[in-house]
Amino acid sequence: MAKYLLLKHYRGAPASVNDVPMDQWTPDEIDAHVQYMRDFAARLQETGEFVEEQAIAPEGTFVRYDGEGRPPITDGPFAETKDLIAGWMVIDVDSHERAVELAGELSAAPGAGGRPVQEWLELRPLLAPLLPTVTE
């Protein structure tokens, strides 16, 4: 089994086919989209391929170590994760082909007008842990 990260983007990826921003969707369209995501995750839980998912709030701050004292905080000038990443799902699948298949399915979540969003999802393999796992 290999773990993959499916990233949903606010922007920065190629435009989706049904490219209507979510803040312009009706409440019913948002509910249908969220339900599709829940149903997708539930199905993957049944097959053992689901690891976790999370939506991310648009607020965020970049922080770095800058010597002793308080670390600097910035709201730019580079693109920030809060502007790019809307959420993620981690899956644990048998092959890259299966990960691609599931990403394609997730991309079909309904959007404005009930039509599939057909958004681009970023599919990234997770690296194996560098340290050995200790079991009792």
Side-chain angles (χ1 to χ4, degrees), residues 56-123:
I56 303 174
E59 301 82 30
T61 304
F62 263 100
V63 177
R64 74 164 193 221
Y65 175 77
D66 197 31
E68 294 300 318
R70 193 174 124 186
I73 297 172
T74 184
D75 205 25
F78 35 83
E80 298 187 35
T81 305
K82 69 182 182 184
D83 295 329
L84 301 176
I85 307 297
W88 76 83
M89 178 179 287
V90 177
I91 56 174
D92 195 357
V93 295
D94 289 327
S95 66
H96 178 48
E97 291 75 19
R98 177 66 176 154
V100 168
E101 176 185 342
L102 292 175
E105 247 181 85
L106 189 56
S107 173
R115 296 181 318 277
V117 175
Q118 293 180 266
E119 66 184 326
W120 287 93
L121 298 173
E122 186 175 351
L123 179 63

Side-chain angles (χ1 to χ4, degrees), residues 7-92:
L7 288 171
K8 293 179 68 68
H9 293 271
Y10 282 117
R11 62 179 187 228
S16 62
V17 173
N18 186 0
D19 193 24
V20 177
M22 190 177 260
D23 63 1
Q24 296 176 19
W25 296 3
T26 68
D28 287 343
E29 291 167 344
I30 292 171
D31 289 346
H33 184 82
V34 170
Q35 189 61 52
Y36 183 97
M37 303 285 289
R38 286 183 181 140
D39 293 345
F40 182 82
R43 190 167 45 88
L44 294 185
Q45 284 174 334
E46 290 174 10
T47 65
E49 296 173 306
F50 179 84
V51 177
E52 73 172 300
E53 69 177 338
Q54 192 67 51
I56 303 174
E59 301 82 30
T61 304
F62 263 100
V63 177
R64 74 164 193 221
Y65 175 77
D66 197 31
E68 294 300 318
R70 193 174 124 186
I73 297 172
T74 184
D75 205 25
F78 35 83
E80 298 187 35
T81 305
K82 69 182 182 184
D83 295 329
L84 301 176
I85 307 297
W88 76 83
M89 178 179 287
V90 177
I91 56 174
D92 195 357

